[in-house]
Coordinates of all heavy atoms in Angstrom, one line a residue:
H79 N 112.8 118.9 71.9 CA 113.3 119.5 73.1 C 114.2 118.5 73.8 O 114.1 117.3 73.5 CB 112.0 119.8 74.0 CG 111.2 118.6 74.3 ND1 110.2 118.2 73.4 CD2 111.1 117.8 75.4 CE1 109.6 117.1 73.9 NE2 110.1 116.8 75.1
P80 N 115.0 118.9 74.7 CA 116.0 118.0 75.3 C 115.7 117.4 76.6 O 114.7 117.8 77.3 CB 117.2 119.0 75.5 CG 116.5 120.2 75.9 CD 115.2 120.3 75.1
H81 N 116.4 116.3 77.0 CA 116.3 115.7 78.3 C 117.7 115.2 78.7 O 118.5 114.8 77.8 CB 115.4 114.5 78.3 CG 113.9 114.9 78.2 ND1 113.2 115.5 79.1 CD2 113.0 114.6 77.1 CE1 112.0 115.7 78.8 NE2 111.8 115.2 77.5
T82 N 118.0 115.2 80.0 CA 119.2 114.6 80.6 C 118.8 113.9 81.8 O 117.9 114.4 82.6 CB 120.2 115.7 80.9 OG1 119.7 116.6 81.8 CG2 120.7 116.5 79.6
G83 N 119.5 112.9 82.1 CA 119.4 112.3 83.5 C 118.1 111.6 83.8 O 117.9 111.3 85.0
L84 N 117.3 111.3 82.9 CA 116.0 110.7 83.2 C 115.6 109.7 82.0 O 116.2 109.6 81.0 CB 115.0 111.7 83.4 CG 114.7 112.8 82.2 CD1 113.7 112.2 81.2 CD2 114.2 114.1 82.7
Q85 N 114.5 109.0 82.3 CA 113.8 108.3 81.3 C 112.4 108.8 81.1 O 111.7 109.2 82.2 CB 113.6 106.8 81.7 CG 114.9 106.0 81.8 CD 114.7 104.6 82.3 OE1 114.3 104.4 83.4 NE2 114.8 103.6 81.4
T86 N 111.9 109.0 79.9 CA 110.5 109.3 79.7 C 109.7 108.0 79.4 O 110.1 107.2 78.6 CB 110.3 110.3 78.5 OG1 110.8 109.6 77.3 CG2 111.1 111.5 78.7
A87 N 108.6 107.9 80.1 CA 107.8 106.7 80.0 C 106.4 107.2 79.5 O 105.6 107.7 80.3 CB 107.7 105.9 81.3
S88 N 106.1 106.9 78.3 CA 104.8 107.4 77.7 C 103.7 106.3 77.7 O 104.0 105.2 77.2 CB 105.0 107.9 76.3 OG 106.0 108.9 76.2
W89 N 102.6 106.6 78.3 CA 101.5 105.6 78.5 C 100.2 106.2 78.1 O 99.8 107.2 78.6 CB 101.4 105.0 79.9 CG 100.4 104.0 80.1 CD1 99.2 104.1 80.6 CD2 100.5 102.6 79.6 NE1 98.5 102.9 80.6 CE2 99.3 101.9 80.0 CE3 101.6 101.9 79.0 CZ2 99.2 100.6 79.7 CZ3 101.4 100.6 78.8 CH2 100.2 99.9 79.1
L90 N 99.5 105.5 77.1 CA 98.2 106.1 76.6 C 97.1 105.2 77.0 O 97.2 104.0 77.0 CB 98.3 106.2 75.1 CG 98.9 107.4 74.4 CD1 98.9 107.3 73.0 CD2 98.2 108.7 74.9
F91 N 95.9 105.8 77.2 CA 94.6 105.1 77.4 C 93.9 105.1 76.0 O 93.2 104.2 75.8 CB 93.8 105.8 78.4 CG 94.4 105.9 79.8 CD1 94.6 107.1 80.3 CD2 94.8 104.8 80.5 CE1 95.2 107.3 81.6 CE2 95.4 104.9 81.7 CZ 95.6 106.1 82.3
S92 N 94.1 106.2 75.2 CA 93.5 106.2 73.9 C 94.2 107.2 73.0 O 95.0 108.0 73.6 CB 92.0 106.6 74.0 OG 91.8 107.9 74.5
G93 N 94.1 107.1 71.7 CA 94.8 108.0 70.8 C 96.1 107.4 70.4 O 96.5 106.3 70.8
E94 N 96.9 108.1 69.6 CA 98.2 107.8 69.2 C 99.1 109.1 69.1 O 98.6 110.1 68.7 CB 98.2 107.1 67.8 CG 97.6 105.7 67.7 CD 97.7 105.2 66.3 OE1 97.7 105.9 65.4 OE2 97.7 103.9 66.2
I95 N 100.3 108.9 69.5 CA 101.3 110.0 69.4 C 102.5 109.6 68.7 O 103.1 108.5 69.0 CB 101.7 110.5 70.8 CG1 100.4 111.0 71.6 CG2 102.7 111.6 70.8 CD1 100.7 111.3 73.1
E96 N 103.0 110.3 67.7 CA 104.2 110.0 67.0 C 105.4 110.5 67.7 O 105.5 111.7 68.1 CB 104.2 110.6 65.6 CG 105.4 110.3 64.8 CD 105.5 111.1 63.5 OE1 105.9 112.2 63.5 OE2 105.1 110.5 62.4
H97 N 106.3 109.6 68.0 CA 107.6 110.0 68.7 C 108.8 109.9 67.7 O 108.9 108.9 67.0 CB 107.8 108.9 69.9 CG 109.2 109.0 70.4 ND1 109.6 109.6 71.5 CD2 110.4 108.4 70.0 CE1 110.9 109.5 71.8 NE2 111.4 108.7 70.8
R98 N 109.5 111.0 67.7 CA 110.8 111.0 66.9 C 111.9 111.5 67.9 O 111.7 112.4 68.7 CB 110.7 111.9 65.7 CG 109.7 111.5 64.6 CD 109.7 112.5 63.6 NE 108.7 112.1 62.5 CZ 109.0 111.5 61.4 NH1 110.3 111.2 61.1 NH2 108.0 111.2 60.5
D99 N 113.1 110.9 67.8 CA 114.2 111.4 68.6 C 115.5 111.4 67.9 O 115.6 111.0 66.7 CB 114.3 110.5 69.9 CG 114.6 109.0 69.6 OD1 115.5 108.8 68.7 OD2 114.1 108.2 70.3
S100 N 116.5 111.9 68.6 CA 117.8 112.2 68.0 C 118.7 111.0 67.9 O 119.8 111.1 67.3 CB 118.6 113.3 68.8 OG 118.7 112.9 70.1
V101 N 118.3 109.8 68.3 CA 119.0 108.6 68.0 C 118.4 107.8 66.9 O 118.7 106.7 66.6 CB 119.1 107.7 69.3 CG1 119.9 108.4 70.4 CG2 117.8 107.2 69.8
G102 N 117.4 108.5 66.2 CA 116.8 108.0 65.0 C 115.6 107.1 65.2 O 115.1 106.5 64.2
S103 N 115.0 107.1 66.3 CA 113.8 106.4 66.6 C 112.5 107.1 66.0 O 112.4 108.3 66.0 CB 113.6 106.2 68.0 OG 114.7 105.7 68.7
L104 N 111.7 106.3 65.4 CA 110.3 106.7 65.0 C 109.3 105.7 65.4 O 109.4 104.5 65.1 CB 110.3 106.9 63.5 CG 108.8 107.1 62.9 CD1 108.3 108.3 63.4 CD2 109.0 107.1 61.3
S105 N 108.5 106.1 66.3 CA 107.5 105.1 67.0 C 106.2 105.8 67.3 O 106.1 107.0 67.5 CB 108.1 104.6 68.3 OG 107.3 103.6 68.9
L106 N 105.1 105.0 67.2 CA 103.8 105.4 67.6 C 103.6 105.0 69.1 O 103.7 103.8 69.4 CB 102.7 104.8 66.7 CG 102.5 105.5 65.4 CD1 101.3 104.9 64.6 CD2 102.1 107.0 65.5
V107 N 103.3 106.0 69.9 CA 102.8 105.6 71.2 C 101.3 105.2 71.1 O 100.5 106.0 70.6 CB 102.9 106.8 72.2 CG1 102.6 106.5 73.6 CG2 104.3 107.5 72.1
Q108 N 101.0 104.0 71.6 CA 99.7 103.5 71.5 C 99.2 102.8 72.8 O 100.1 102.4 73.6 CB 99.6 102.4 70.3 CG 99.9 102.9 69.0 CD 100.1 101.9 67.9 OE1 100.8 100.9 68.1 NE2 99.5 102.0 66.8
P109 N 97.9 102.7 73.0 CA 97.5 102.1 74.2 C 98.0 100.6 74.3 O 98.1 99.9 73.3 CB 95.9 102.1 74.1 CG 95.7 103.3 73.2 CD 96.8 103.3 72.2
G110 N 98.4 100.2 75.5 CA 98.8 98.9 75.8 C 100.4 98.7 75.6 O 100.8 97.5 75.9
A111 N 101.1 99.7 75.1 CA 102.5 99.6 74.9 C 103.2 100.8 75.6 O 102.7 101.9 75.6 CB 102.8 99.5 73.5
L112 N 104.3 100.5 76.1 CA 105.2 101.6 76.8 C 106.2 102.0 75.8 O 106.9 101.2 75.2 CB 105.9 101.0 78.0 CG 106.9 101.9 78.7 CD1 106.2 103.0 79.4 CD2 107.8 101.1 79.6
N113 N 106.3 103.3 75.6 CA 107.4 104.0 74.9 C 108.3 104.5 75.9 O 108.0 105.4 76.7 CB 107.0 105.1 73.9 CG 106.6 104.5 72.6 OD1 106.2 103.4 72.4 ND2 106.6 105.4 71.5
L114 N 109.6 103.9 76.0 CA 110.5 104.2 77.0 C 111.8 104.8 76.5 O 112.5 104.1 75.7 CB 110.8 103.0 77.9 CG 111.7 103.2 79.1 CD1 111.0 104.0 80.2 CD2 112.0 101.8 79.7
M115 N 112.1 106.1 76.7 CA 113.3 106.7 76.2 C 114.2 107.0 77.3 O 113.9 107.8 78.3 CB 112.9 108.0 75.4 CG 114.1 108.7 74.8 SD 113.5 110.3 73.9 CE 113.4 111.3 75.3
T116 N 115.4 106.5 77.2 CA 116.4 106.8 78.3 C 117.4 107.8 77.8 O 118.1 107.7 76.8 CB 117.2 105.4 78.5 OG1 116.3 104.4 79.0 CG2 118.3 105.7 79.6
A117 N 117.3 109.0 78.4 CA 118.0 110.2 78.0 C 119.5 110.0 78.3 O 120.4 110.5 77.5 CB 117.5 111.4 78.6
G118 N 119.8 109.5 79.5 CA 121.2 109.4 79.8 C 121.9 110.7 79.8 O 121.4 111.7 80.4
R119 N 123.1 110.8 79.1 CA 123.8 112.1 79.0 C 123.1 113.1 78.2 O 123.5 114.4 78.4 CB 125.2 111.8 78.4 CG 125.1 111.2 77.0 CD 126.4 111.2 76.2 NE 126.2 110.7 74.9 CZ 125.7 111.2 73.8 NH1 125.1 112.5 74.0 NH2 125.6 110.6 72.7
G120 N 122.1 112.8 77.4 CA 121.4 113.8 76.6 C 120.8 113.2 75.3 O 121.4 112.4 74.7
I121 N 119.5 113.7 75.1 CA 118.8 113.3 73.9 C 117.8 114.4 73.7 O 117.5 115.3 74.5 CB 118.1 111.9 74.2 CG1 117.7 111.3 72.9 CG2 116.9 112.1 75.1 CD1 117.1 109.8 73.0
S122 N 117.2 114.4 72.4 CA 116.1 115.3 72.1 C 115.0 114.5 71.4 O 115.3 113.5 70.7 CB 116.6 116.5 71.3 OG 117.2 116.2 70.1
H123 N 113.8 115.0 71.5 CA 112.7 114.2 70.8 C 111.5 115.2 70.6 O 111.4 116.2 71.2 CB 112.3 113.0 71.6 CG 111.5 113.3 72.9 ND1 110.4 112.5 73.2 CD2 111.7 114.1 73.9 CE1 109.9 112.9 74.4 NE2 110.7 113.9 74.8
S124 N 110.6 114.8 69.7 CA 109.4 115.5 69.5 C 108.2 114.5 69.7 O 108.4 113.3 69.6 CB 109.4 116.0 68.0 OG 109.4 115.0 67.1
E125 N 107.0 115.1 70.0 CA 105.8 114.3 70.1 C 104.7 115.0 69.4 O 104.4 116.2 69.8 CB 105.5 114.1 71.6 CG 106.6 113.4 72.4 CD 106.6 113.7 73.8 OE1 106.9 114.9 74.1 OE2 106.4 112.9 74.7
V126 N 104.0 114.3 68.6 CA 102.9 114.9 67.8 C 101.7 113.9 67.8 O 101.9 112.8 67.3 CB 103.3 115.3 66.4 CG1 102.1 115.9 65.6 CG2 104.4 116.3 66.4
S127 N 100.5 114.3 68.3 CA 99.4 113.4 68.3 C 98.9 113.2 66.9 O 99.0 114.1 66.0 CB 98.3 113.9 69.2 OG 97.9 115.2 68.8
Q128 N 98.3 112.0 66.6 CA 97.8 111.7 65.2 C 96.3 112.0 65.2 O 95.5 111.3 65.9 CB 98.1 110.3 64.9 CG 99.6 109.9 65.0 CD 100.4 110.7 64.1 OE1 100.5 110.5 62.9 NE2 101.2 111.7 64.6
A129 N 95.9 112.9 64.3 CA 94.5 113.3 64.3 C 93.5 112.2 64.0 O 92.4 112.1 64.5 CB 94.3 114.4 63.2
A130 N 93.9 111.3 63.1 CA 93.0 110.1 62.8 C 92.7 109.3 63.9 O 91.6 108.6 63.9 CB 93.7 109.3 61.7
S131 N 93.5 109.3 65.0 CA 93.2 108.4 66.1 C 92.5 109.1 67.3 O 92.3 108.5 68.4 CB 94.5 107.8 66.7 OG 95.4 108.8 67.0
G132 N 92.1 110.4 67.1 CA 91.4 111.1 68.1 C 92.4 111.8 69.1 O 93.6 111.7 69.0
T133 N 91.7 112.5 70.0 CA 92.6 113.2 71.0 C 93.3 112.3 71.9 O 92.7 111.3 72.5 CB 91.6 114.1 71.9 OG1 90.9 115.0 71.0 CG2 92.4 114.9 72.9

Side-chain angles (χ1 to χ4, degrees):
H79 57 279
H81 288 292
T82 61
L84 58 86
Q85 293 176 290
T86 64
S88 302
W89 183 258
L90 278 177
F91 304 119
S92 63
E94 290 183 332
I95 298 171
E96 181 189 80
H97 164 99
R98 295 175 181 263
D99 64 40
S100 56
V101 298
S103 310
L104 171 60
S105 179
L106 279 181
V107 185
Q108 297 171 312
L112 175 73
N113 273 24
L114 185 64
M115 185 181 75
T116 301
R119 60 168 176 76
I121 198 170
S122 58
H123 73 135
S124 63
E125 296 152 298
V126 179
S127 58
Q128 304 299 286
S131 60
T133 301

